[in-house]
Amino acid sequence: MLVPALLVLLFCLRGRAGLSPHFLQQPEDLVVLLGDEARLPCALGTYSGVVQWTKDGLALGGERDLPGWSRYWISGDAARGQHNLHIRPVELEDQAAYECQATQAGLRSRPAQLHVLVPPEAPQVLGSPSVSLVAGVPANLTCRSRGDARPTPELLWFRDEVQLDGATSYQTLLKKGTVESVESILSFTPSSHDDGATLVCRARSQALPAGKDTAITLSLQYAPVVTLSAEPQTVQEGEKVTFLCQARAQPPVTGYRWAKGGSPVLGARGPMLEVVADASFLTAPVSCEVSNAVGIANRSTALDVQFGPILQAKPEPMSVDQGEEASFSCAWHGNPLPRVTWTRHGGAQVLGYGPTLRLPSVGPEDAGDYVCRAEAGLSGLGGGAAEARLTVNAPPVVTALHSSTAFLRGPARLQCLVFASPAPEAVVWSWDEGFLEKGSRGRFLVETFPAPEGRVGQGPGLISVLHISGTQESDFSRGFNCSARNRLGEGDTWISLGRRDVLPTMRIVAGVASLATTLIIVITGVALCCWCQGKASFSKQKNQVHIPGSSHGSSLRGPEEEETGSSEDQGPIMHMDSSDLVLDEEGALETKDPTNGYYKVQGVSVSLSLGKTPGDGLFLPPSPPIGPLGTPPFYDFNSHLGMLPPCKLYRAQAGYLTTPHSRAFTSYIKPTSFGPPDMDPRTPHFPYASFPTPSHSRLQTHV
C-alpha cells in the first residue's frame, strides 16, 4: 500500500512543476441596452504577469482603473487571475470587439463582440391625433419611426389590442447604409361604424419588446345611416300607423323625403309620418330618404296589414266538348291568405280548394255555374264569391213542350224544345210521308223561336213549332218526330197529336150560359117584386107584349111598317086584348097560346100584373139565343129591366114560340197568321171556332 501512494505523490509533484499559463475563462459576445452596464469576463491560470484589454485592437492599458477611460475598469482578484472588463453606462461608441491579453505569456482571448441596443422612440402618425376620413372612400394611414434605434424597429397597427392586417412597411436608408427611418402604411376602407375609433401604431424591437405606441382617433364624414320603424308593425286595415325615421350622419342631416311604393308622399318632410293603413301597404313599402353633404341613404319597410279577401282575377266562362277536361281559376288577395272553396251554384258540396278547380272528363250533367268563394278575414271585411259558367258541348237535347190536342179538320200546333251547344245546324220535323225543316209544305208550316230561358250550361234554347191546318184522321194516329243535329250528334223526340171532341165543350158553354140567365131572371124578379110591393089589385087594360119575330105583330101592321119598322120599335109587337090574358089558380096572369097548340114551338109565357108602358105593350128581350144548336134558348132581360112597369108579382113559365134559326154557329175560319208559341200548358194550342150571335129582325110565329 505504501509504495503505490508514494508513486502517485511523485507523479503529481512532477506534473505541477511543468504547467504553463492558460485561460480559465474567455469573454463572449454580449448584447446590452444603451445606458446599461456591460461586463466581459476574463480569467488566467498559472500567470502572474500584466493583463490588458483591447477594443477593436486598441489597448486600453494595464492598470486596473484604466486611466483615460472613465467609464471602463477591470475588476476581480488578480492573484487568482481574474481580470473582468466593465463598461458603464454603455454608449453607442462602446459597440466593438474586445480581447483579453496576457502580454508576458503571449496569450490572446477570442474576440467578444459587444452589441449596444438603442430602444425606438414613439412613432409618428401623419394627421394625428385625429384623422378625418370619408366613409366608404379608401384611405391610407402612415406611421413613421425616426432616430438611431438599434436594431431597426418593427411598426405594427392595432385596434382594441387586435393587430390589423393589410399594413405595408418601408425603410429609408442613408448613403452610409444605416437606416434613417421606417414607415408603415395601413390601407383600408372606413365605414360609418369606424367613426370615433382609436387606432394604435406601435414601434417594437429587440431593444424594447413591449414597444412604444402612438394612438390616433378616426373622425369620419359619412352619408346618413337610417333606421326606419313603424308603430304598430301589425295593424288591421283602417287603423293609424306612425313611421319614425332616425338617422346618424356626419355632417348633420339636411333633409327627409318619404315615398310609398316608389311614389313620393306629398307634404311629408320631417322624420315622422302618420298614415291610415290599407291593403296596399302590404305590397307597397314605405321608404324614408335622408340626405347630407356627403350623400343620400334610405330605408324601407312594409306593414303587416291584415285585411279581408279581395278578388283579383275572376274565373272565365268555359266551353268544352263532352269528355274533355275543364279548368277554372280565380285569384283572391288577403292577409292572412284567404281560404278559397269551389261549389256548384245553389249547392253546398265543396268540389275543391285553392285557386284552381279541375273537372276531368266532363259530361252534360257537369254543365252549369261554378262558384269560387273566399271567406271573410279576421276583421269581417271583404270576401265574397265569383261565378263562371261551364258549357258542355254535346248532342242536342230535344223534348216536347206539352201534349197537344186538336179538333178534326181544325188547326193544330206541335212544339218541341231544343237545347244544344254548339247551336243546332238544323231542326227537322218528319212524319210518315215527309219532312219539313222550315217554311211551309201543304197543310204544314214550321216556325222557330228563341226560348225565353236557356238551360244552364247547355247553350241557348230554341222552340220549333209545327202548325197543321185542317187536321185529318191520319194526323191523330201517327207520330211526329222533332230532331236536331250539330257537329257532336243528333237528338230527337216523338210527339203525338190528341183528338178533341166538340160536344163536351158546347155543353159546358151552354150550361154556363143557362146558369147565368137563370141568375139574371131571379135577380130581376126580386127587383120587380120590391118595385110593385104594396099594390093590392090589378088593373085591366090593353097591353102590348113585344115578342121577337112575332107573325101576329106583322099581320096587324101595315105593309110599310112591316118592312121598315118604327124608329122607336124594340121588336115586333103582338096586340092582345084582355080576353087573351087569364089568371091561373094562384092569381097570376097567364098568356094563352094563340095557335091553340098547333105549332107546338117552345117559347116563353109570362103572367104579369102590368101597368101602362110608353107603347102600351110589354117589352121582351130581343137578344138572340146563345149556345149551340139543340140547346134551349136563353134570353137576356138585362137591357130592358129599366123599362118594366111597376108590378106586384111576375113569373116565367114555359110556352111555345117559333125560333127559326138558319145556323147555330159558324164553322172555323183559318187564320191568316200564327202568333208566337204559348209556353203555358193550360193555354189551348190552337184558336177555337167562334160562335157569333145571329141577328134576326123578327122571330116568326108561323111555319
Side-chain angles (χ1 to χ4, degrees):
M1 293 292 294
L2 183 58
V3 174
L6 292 174
L7 291 173
V8 171
L9 179 59
L10 180 62
F11 178 80
C12 292
L13 292 175
R14 185 179 178 181
R16 181 184 178 110
L19 289 176
S20 60
H22 59 278
F23 283 100
L24 297 177
Q25 185 179 9
Q26 297 186 49
E28 296 179 355
D29 294 343
L30 179 63
V31 176
V32 64
L33 288 176
L34 180 67
D36 289 349
E37 180 181 342
R39 177 179 176 275
L40 298 172
C42 180
L44 295 168
T46 66
Y47 180 74
S48 58
V50 177
V51 176
Q52 66 174 3
W53 285 85
T54 62
K55 175 183 177 182
D56 292 335
L58 176 63
L60 299 179
E63 291 82 1
R64 305 283 294 183
D65 56 355
L66 298 176
W69 304 87
S70 59
R71 296 179 293 105
Y72 292 64
W73 74 91
I74 298 174
S75 66
D77 187 358
R80 296 182 179 181
Q82 297 176 353
H83 306 278
N84 302 323
L85 176 63
H86 290 264
I87 303 173
R88 190 180 60 185
V90 175
E91 296 180 358
L92 286 177
E93 61 185 23
D94 298 330
Q95 181 168 299
Y98 293 87
E99 291 181 358
C100 178
Q101 299 176 355
T103 56
Q104 295 175 347
L107 294 176
R108 299 176 60 183
S109 68
R110 60 176 176 270
Q113 186 68 36
L114 177 63
H115 299 280
V116 178
L117 300 181
V118 180
E121 297 178 356
Q124 296 179 349
V125 178
L126 299 183
S128 61
S130 178
V131 178
S132 180
L133 304 175
V134 177
V137 178
N140 294 326
L141 297 180
T142 301
C143 180
R144 181 176 299 162
S145 176
R146 292 180 177 275
D148 298 327
R150 298 184 183 186
T152 302
E154 178 184 19
L155 300 179
L156 303 174
W157 292 92
F158 292 87
R159 179 175 179 175
D160 299 331
E161 297 299 327
V162 176
Q163 184 175 345
L164 301 178
D165 297 328
T168 303
S169 297
Y170 302 92
Q171 292 183 353
T172 302
L173 301 177
L174 297 175
K175 292 182 180 181
K176 55 183 180 180
T178 60
V179 177
E180 180 183 9
S181 64
V182 178
E183 290 183 354
S184 178
I185 298 176
L186 176 65
S187 299
F188 74 108
T189 301
S191 67
S192 60
H193 300 288
D194 296 327
D195 184 40
T198 299
L199 299 184
V200 173
C201 179
R202 179 174 297 167
R204 184 176 65 182
S205 68
Q206 184 180 0
L208 188 61
K212 284 191 176 181
D213 298 341
T214 298
I216 61 170
T217 301
L218 300 181
S219 176
L220 289 177
Q221 292 185 346
Y222 53 89
V225 179
V226 182
T227 302
L228 180 60
S229 62
E231 183 62 34
Q233 188 70 36
T234 301
V235 63
Q236 294 287 337
E237 186 176 21
E239 294 182 353
K240 286 187 177 181
V241 180
T242 301
F243 292 91
L244 182 61
C245 185
Q246 296 175 314
R248 293 185 300 106
Q250 183 63 36
V253 172
T254 57
Y256 294 86
R257 290 182 60 193
W258 291 89
K260 176 193 173 186
S263 300
V265 179
L266 301 178
R269 290 290 183 266
M272 184 179 296
L273 175 66
E274 289 188 354
V275 298
V276 176
D278 56 33
S280 64
F281 283 90
L282 187 65
T283 55
V286 174
S287 61
C288 173
E289 181 181 276
V290 185
S291 59
N292 68 351
V294 175
I296 298 174
N298 67 76
R299 287 289 181 272
S300 61
T301 183
L303 290 178
D304 183 15
V305 182
Q306 296 184 348
F307 56 93
I310 300 174
L311 181 62
Q312 290 185 315
K314 293 182 178 180
E316 296 294 333
M318 291 198 65
S319 177
V320 298
D321 290 348
Q322 182 177 351
E324 295 183 354
E325 180 184 272
S327 176
F328 292 101
S329 296
C330 71
W332 292 87
H333 179 52
N335 185 32
L337 290 176
R339 182 172 178 263
V340 180
T341 59
W342 291 88
T343 59
R344 289 286 294 267
H345 179 78
Q349 182 181 1
V350 177
L351 304 178
Y353 298 92
T356 303
L357 174 66
R358 299 185 182 277
L359 301 174
S361 186
V362 297
E365 67 278 1
D366 296 316
D369 293 330
Y370 288 81
V371 182
C372 172
R373 180 174 286 103
E375 298 178 357
L378 297 177
S379 61
L381 301 175
E387 294 187 9
R389 176 162 295 181
L390 173 62
T391 301
V392 178
N393 299 325
V397 177
V398 184
T399 56
L401 279 181
H402 46 72
S403 60
S404 301
T405 59
F407 294 105
L408 180 63
R409 290 183 295 278
R413 183 169 60 179
L414 303 177
Q415 303 179 67
C416 69
L417 180 62
V418 180
F419 288 107
S421 177
E425 300 168 1
V427 179
V428 180
W429 287 89
S430 60
W431 54 94
D432 293 343
E433 68 270 15
F435 65 91
L436 185 60
E437 178 179 344
K438 59 183 178 180
S440 62
R441 177 182 178 184
R443 298 181 298 114
F444 302 96
L445 171 67
V446 172
E447 291 182 311
T448 303
F449 303 92
E453 293 184 3
R455 185 174 296 177
V456 176
Q458 292 189 2
L462 294 176
I463 297 176
S464 183
V465 183
L466 175 64
H467 297 280
I468 305 174
S469 175
T471 58
Q472 301 176 358
E473 289 287 351
S474 60
D475 295 335
F476 301 103
S477 60
R478 63 187 171 191
F480 294 85
N481 180 265
C482 177
S483 63
R485 67 177 180 273
N486 61 10
R487 64 178 177 83
L488 297 175
E490 183 176 352
D492 65 347
T493 186
W494 286 89
I495 305 175
S496 60
L497 180 62
R499 186 166 181 171
R500 205 168 190 187
D501 191 5
V502 177
L503 187 57
T505 303
M506 301 307 299
R507 287 178 177 176
I508 293 174
V509 173
V512 172
S514 177
L515 179 61
T517 303
T518 303
L519 182 60
I520 292 173
I521 293 174
V522 172
I523 295 174
T524 304
V526 173
L528 291 176
C529 182
C530 295
W531 185 290
C532 300
Q533 189 173 7
K535 298 204 174 194
S537 60
F538 299 99
S539 59
K540 293 183 180 181
Q541 55 184 334
K542 293 280 186 174
N543 292 283
Q544 292 180 343
V545 178
H546 286 250
I547 300 176
S550 172
S551 63
H552 292 271
S554 63
S555 63
L556 295 176
R557 301 170 64 180
E560 290 87 1
E561 293 181 30
E562 187 172 353
E563 292 295 325
T564 60
S566 174
S567 61
E568 297 178 357
D569 189 6
Q570 300 295 324
I573 301 177
M574 181 178 64
H575 294 272
M576 294 182 296
D577 57 13
S578 58
S579 63
D580 294 327
L581 301 176
V582 295
L583 292 175
D584 60 6
E585 295 178 353
E586 298 178 0
L589 190 64
E590 183 176 356
T591 304
K592 291 183 181 181
D593 182 7
T595 64
N596 294 322
Y598 178 78
Y599 296 110
K600 302 297 184 181
V601 178
Q602 187 176 3
V604 176
S605 168
V606 183
S607 298
L608 298 172
S609 174
L610 302 174
K612 273 207 171 179
T613 63
D616 288 335
L618 176 65
F619 287 87
L620 293 179
S623 300
I626 301 175
L629 187 62
T631 58
F634 295 92
Y635 296 91
D636 187 5
F637 289 86
N638 291 331
S639 61
H640 300 288
L641 287 178
M643 301 178 64
L644 292 177
C647 66
K648 181 177 181 181
L649 179 66
Y650 81 93
R651 180 174 60 198
Q653 294 183 347
Y656 293 91
L657 290 176
T658 303
T659 57
H661 295 274
S662 61
R663 298 184 65 185
F665 56 88
T666 60
S667 62
Y668 169 74
I669 299 174
K670 178 180 178 181
T672 58
S673 64
F674 297 93
D678 186 2
M679 295 298 294
D680 190 353
R682 295 173 298 179
T683 304
H685 306 287
F686 59 92
Y688 288 102
S690 60
F691 301 92
T693 303
S695 176
H696 302 287
S697 59
R698 300 180 184 275
L699 179 63
Q700 301 295 329
T701 58
H702 63 276
V703 179

